[in-house]
Amino acid sequence: MLGGGTMGFAIAKALSERGKVLIIDNDSTKVNTFVEQDLDALFGDFTDESILKGMRLGKLRAVLITTSQGAVNKKALSIVKKLVPHAYVICRAESLQQREALENMGADLVLVPHLEIAKVVRHTIEKEEVHTRAKLLLDVLMRAHGKRLGIIVHDNPDPDAISSALALQEMAALMNVESTILYHGEIGHQENKALVNLLGIELEKVEEHELAEFSMLALVDCTKPGVNNVVPEDAHVSIVIDHHPHEGEVHAEFVDIRPELGATATIMAEYFTELGLPLDEKLATALLYGIRTDTKGFTKQITLQDFMAAAHLYPYADHEILSQIENPSISTETLDAIAIAIFNKKIRGSYLISNVGVIKDRDVIPQAAENLLRLEGILTVLVFGITDDMIYISSRTKDIRLNLGEVMRRAYGKNAGGHSTAAGAQIPLGLFKDIKEKDRLIKLVDEVITRKFLEAVGLEEKPQPIPANGKEGVPSEAESNQLNEAGT
């Protein structure tokens, strides 16, 4: 260790517990103090090359340069790199500019003390915030003691929503609160079905209940009543936990919305970690899979918190079940939808848009989008399909210049949203569900959905001629205007 101030002394004491540490300093008083503390110290000017030349350097593992003087540290580093090129060198800097200079000279690690302290303080405060939120959530649940809690996930829930709802249900059970996980739509994706079936997660259709049955409502992996869920917009919600971006204020007794995180399951995992709550195999497996899927295998929208949560869950999870969940058989409908999406694709530069027509399972839409994004030269994909009463849209991108969530909201209004690389929309068909000619409906939807998306990304769709009589399956002007209004 070259330089033995307060910082050097603290590091030397810590390192001496695991190996031999020698401190070199040109202040005899400091050297005497180190010796009195049973540390090996040598008086000398370490910017004099002869000091190090006279030592046996073959077994030297690491060199720490810890003075607060930039010029001294630079000179010491140049000597160390010359005489002990094999050593790992840690150097102190007082500014980002100094750090860059020392890194360019070959330092393996450069520490700027005030920045390192700032990191520790930030981490500590963030950790305390999570702990405070978790305790507040328990307080809210405690007030529901002996009552019923309805845990509502977004329509057609994915593993992140399902696992997060399961975690909230287990927290509620610890407070002696009976709860039911409620969903609308379908659990259609093969992996989602496997998750529910293999782990035995109980979910019930929201239509089978009256919301008045529940003393308290919670929204998980969705933010507001009526947005991607069937809860009435004026319903009172007590708990909101989500990681999706949102607009406007959210009103509830407890709100934890963190769009910077990759998954809502990360939030729930943090609660269990911070409060030291029991984490069983079933819940750990579900939450780990929820984080994994929403971050696309830890490759998209991933943060340190997501990694830390996954690392905590990993030892508790059943990895054999995880393997079974991730490799389910693919349904015929999914395969057909992917084939139709490939056949119907329209390419505008690096954008691909496709219509899969009438569908039964809306989960085939994001699966088709993810597969089409693998095509060479394609950076952004939008796929949509139609059910009896809804248009489902899913979009994926590899283009770092785009924020898909904003693009989708710009194109389709409040019915859309998502993250920068993955987003979707659900647009009610309204009056158009009464159109009996499916081919005509599909062409009408195709024209409007495509045009709005291309406009939102700054491309103009070439207008199609519209006959006055609206024949040949082409939408009339009045029909186009109606769907325009429905879509916005």
Side-chain angles (χ1 to χ4, degrees):
M1 180 172 291
L2 308 181
T6 304
M7 177 178 172
F9 175 74
I11 295 173
K13 287 289 285 185
L15 292 178
S16 64
E17 297 174 2
R18 56 167 296 154
K20 185 175 178 62
V21 178
L22 174 65
I23 305 169
I24 303 176
D25 199 289
N26 61 0
D27 186 326
S28 58
T29 303
K30 289 182 181 178
V31 170
N32 290 334
T33 301
F34 298 145
V35 172
E36 290 172 0
Q37 295 291 325
D38 296 324
L39 293 170
D40 291 331
L42 176 68
F43 174 74
D45 181 3
F46 51 79
T47 60
D48 182 348
E49 193 173 313
S50 63
I51 293 289
L52 289 178
K53 274 186 174 179
M55 301 173 62
R56 291 179 295 174
L57 303 175
K59 293 184 177 181
L60 187 63
R61 297 285 184 88
V63 176
L64 288 84
I65 305 171
T66 62
T67 82
S68 59
Q69 302 172 60
V72 171
N73 290 354
K74 278 186 179 182
K75 188 171 182 180
L77 177 61
S78 64
I79 293 172
V80 169
K81 296 300 293 183
K82 175 183 176 182
L83 299 180
V84 205
H86 65 273
Y88 186 84
V89 183
I90 300 173
C91 200
R92 173 178 175 174
E94 297 305 310
S95 67
L96 292 174
Q97 187 177 8
Q98 282 185 20
R99 181 170 73 181
E100 184 178 359
L102 292 166
E103 287 173 341
N104 291 337
M105 290 177 63
D108 297 287
L109 175 64
V110 181
L111 301 175
V112 183
H114 66 274
L115 295 182
E116 300 305 320
I117 293 171
K119 287 180 185 177
V120 172
V121 171
R122 177 180 171 178
H123 175 72
T124 302
I125 289 176
E126 288 175 346
K127 190 177 177 67
E128 179 58 29
E129 283 180 344
V130 172
H131 187 81
T132 300
R133 285 175 180 153
K135 286 178 65 178
L136 179 58
L137 176 56
L138 285 184
D139 289 343
V140 173
L141 291 172
M142 197 175 298
R143 290 199 288 274
H145 177 78
K147 300 178 182 178
R148 292 188 66 193
L149 169 67
I151 302 173
I152 300 166
V153 294
H154 60 68
D155 294 347
N156 310 294
D158 60 7
D160 187 30
I162 295 168
S163 63
S164 299
L166 178 64
L168 182 58
Q169 186 174 56
E170 294 210 5
M171 288 183 73
L174 292 172
M175 298 293 104
N176 294 312
V177 176
E178 179 188 349
S179 63
T180 304
I181 302 174
L182 305 169
Y183 76 100
H184 172 71
E186 300 295 333
I187 301 175
H189 199 293
Q190 288 80 18
E191 285 90 339
N192 301 359
K193 291 177 180 176
L195 172 72
V196 171
N197 294 335
L198 288 172
L199 293 179
I201 301 173
E202 296 183 5
L203 300 93
E204 298 181 19
K205 286 277 195 175
V206 70
E207 291 84 359
E208 297 172 1
H209 296 267
E210 293 289 339
L211 293 184
E213 298 174 23
F214 302 96
S215 306
M216 182 180 289
L217 295 179
L219 291 179
V220 174
D221 207 33
C222 53
T223 304
K224 294 183 178 181
V227 180
N228 200 15
N229 59 71
V230 294
V231 180
E233 292 186 14
D234 60 351
H236 175 72
V237 174
S238 298
I239 297 169
V240 175
I241 304 171
D242 193 14
H243 79 117
H244 293 99
H246 69 285
E247 296 179 355
E249 292 186 36
V250 176
H251 302 285
E253 295 173 55
F254 176 86
V255 177
D256 191 355
I257 302 173
R258 288 186 260 166
E260 71 275 12
L261 297 183
T264 301
T266 297
I267 298 174
M268 302 308 300
E270 286 184 340
Y271 293 161
F272 274 75
T273 302
E274 285 303 312
L275 295 176
L277 301 177
L279 188 64
D280 62 22
E281 186 176 78
K282 174 180 175 179
L283 179 58
T285 304
L287 287 173
L288 181 58
Y289 188 64
I291 297 172
R292 187 181 294 180
T293 54
D294 248 40
T295 60
K296 297 292 183 288
F298 304 106
T299 61
K300 298 283 179 72
Q301 191 76 24
I302 188 75
T303 66
L304 178 61
Q305 292 99 314
D306 297 306
F307 277 121
M308 294 295 288
H312 179 72
L313 295 167
Y314 189 88
Y316 298 95
D318 186 324
H319 296 279
E320 184 176 341
I321 286 183
L322 278 174
S323 179
Q324 293 178 52
I325 293 171
E326 291 173 336
N327 297 285
S329 57
I330 187 170
S331 71
T332 302
E333 185 181 3
T334 300
L335 200 60
D336 288 345
I338 294 172
I340 294 168
I342 293 171
F343 183 78
N344 289 341
K345 68 183 185 296
K346 295 180 287 187
I347 296 176
R348 304 285 189 275
S350 64
Y351 294 91
L352 185 152
I353 301 170
S354 189
N355 177 4
V356 298
V358 178
I359 57 171
K360 293 180 180 178
D361 178 7
R362 52 88 65 189
D363 270 334
V364 302
I365 302 295
Q367 291 182 76
E370 287 163 8
N371 277 276
L372 289 176
L373 191 59
R374 298 164 61 188
L375 291 177
E376 185 177 358
I378 298 301
L379 295 180
T380 304
V381 169
L382 181 128
V383 177
F384 54 95
I386 304 169
T387 62
D388 290 338
D389 59 355
M390 196 78 70
I391 304 167
Y392 287 101
I393 310 172
S394 185
S395 187
R396 300 289 186 270
T397 190
K398 297 182 287 189
D399 191 340
I400 60 173
R401 299 168 299 176
L402 274 187
N403 184 316
L404 269 188
E406 292 180 5
V407 167
M408 295 293 278
R409 281 190 290 272
R410 204 157 54 234
Y412 308 115
K414 67 177 184 179
N415 299 303
H419 293 290
S420 58
T421 58
Q426 299 179 26
I427 302 175
L429 274 176
L431 296 175
F432 293 93
K433 66 182 178 181
D434 296 326
I435 295 178
K436 303 302 181 185
E437 301 172 34
K438 293 299 181 185
D439 289 344
R440 185 175 185 76
L441 174 62
I442 290 169
K443 288 180 179 179
L444 170 61
V445 169
D446 192 308
E447 187 268 330
V448 177
I449 295 299
T450 299
R451 177 170 53 78
K452 283 186 167 293
F453 181 74
L454 292 177
E455 287 174 355
V457 296
L459 298 175
E460 290 187 7
E461 175 75 331
K462 186 177 180 181
Q464 298 181 7
I466 301 176
N469 59 9
K471 291 182 179 179
E472 302 176 9
V474 179
S476 69
E477 188 172 6
E479 288 174 325
S480 293
N481 290 339
Q482 279 184 293
L483 194 60
N484 275 346
E485 293 173 4
T488 56

